Amino acid sequence: YQRRVHGEYHNLEGKLTGEEVVQQWNQYMIINDEKCDIMEGALDLLSYLKSKGVRLGLCTSTHRHVVEHKMKTRQQLFSFFEVIVTGDDPEVYKGKPHPDIYLIGSRRLGVDPSNCVVFEDAESGCMSGRSAGMKVVAIPDPRLAEAFKQHNVADIVITSLAEYRQLIL
C-alpha cells in the first residue's frame, strides 16, 4: 500500500489502524493549514449574523488539538463562535452523519434544533444536520453541487457563502 503526500509516495508496512489513519489526517491538517483559504464570504456572513444577534457555533469532525492549532492561526474566524464542538468531544458518541455533534452544539448554545441552520460542505454533515432536525445549507465543492441537489441532502445548495448572504438581505 502506498500513500501520496505532497507528490511523494510513502510506503506503509502492514495495515493502518483507524486511530493511525486519524492521527495522520490530523497531522496533515495542521501541516497544511496555511494552504487552506477561508471559504469565500465566510467572514462577511459571520460578521453580519453576529451583528444581528445570531448565536454561532462550530460543529466539526476535526479533533480538538487540530482546531486549537487553527484557532491560533485563524483568530478572526474563530472569534465569531460561542461554542465549538469537535469530533473527539466526549459527548459525541457517533460522528457525522449521525446528529450527535449538532444536537450537542445546539444544546450548548441554548437554541432549539428547529431554530438552527447548518452550513455544510460535506454530504455526511448535511445528513447529520437534517437528522438533528435543523435547516441545512450546503456549500459543496462546485464539482459536487449537482450531486448534492440530486441526493436532496440539503434545504438549499449554494456555490459560496457570499451567495447565501444575498439571499438573507
Side-chain angles (χ1 to χ4, degrees):
Y1 178 70
Q2 292 185 336
R3 179 173 61 109
R4 187 174 182 178
V5 179
H6 300 294
E8 298 177 33
Y9 285 94
H10 299 273
N11 290 320
L12 302 173
E13 299 290 329
K15 295 181 181 178
L16 293 175
T17 66
E19 186 176 318
E20 289 170 327
V21 170
V22 170
Q23 287 173 351
Q24 287 186 9
W25 176 252
N26 288 338
Q27 189 61 33
Y28 175 83
M29 294 296 289
I30 289 171
I31 291 169
N32 291 289
D33 179 49
E34 71 280 353
K35 295 177 185 173
C36 297
D37 294 329
I38 294 174
M39 195 176 279
E40 178 191 1
L43 295 175
D44 185 45
L45 178 61
L46 291 169
S47 179
Y48 174 78
L49 293 172
K50 196 72 165 178
S51 75
K52 297 298 181 189
V54 175
R55 302 193 70 198
L56 301 171
L58 174 67
C59 299
T60 176
S61 297
T62 303
H63 283 198
R64 171 67 60 183
H65 76 278
V66 177
V67 171
E68 287 173 350
H69 171 80
K70 290 178 179 242
M71 289 171 75
K72 292 174 189 168
T73 62
R74 314 270 177 151
Q75 291 177 1
Q76 182 182 13
L77 176 66
F78 284 91
S79 69
F80 292 102
F81 302 111
E82 294 176 50
V83 169
I84 297 175
V85 184
T86 59
D88 60 344
D89 186 293
E91 289 188 61
V92 177
Y93 294 109
K94 292 183 177 179
K96 298 173 184 179
H98 299 281
D100 298 21
I101 199 163
Y102 284 119
L103 293 173
I104 293 163
S106 70
R107 180 177 47 78
R108 290 181 185 173
L109 279 172
V111 178
D112 187 89
S114 65
N115 293 323
C116 293
V117 178
V118 170
F119 291 86
E120 260 293 346
D121 64 347
E123 192 168 337
S124 63
C126 291
M127 293 166 57
S128 179
R130 275 262 175 98
S131 295
M134 301 174 179
K135 296 292 183 206
V136 177
V137 177
I139 316 98
D141 179 302
R143 296 168 293 183
L144 303 175
E146 199 54 44
F148 272 63
K149 290 175 185 174
Q150 289 175 358
H151 295 155
N152 196 31
V153 296
D155 297 290
I156 301 172
V157 178
I158 59 177
T159 58
S160 80
L161 290 173
E163 183 180 338
Y164 188 79
R165 171 81 193 276
Q166 293 170 359
L167 294 173
I168 61 174
L169 291 179

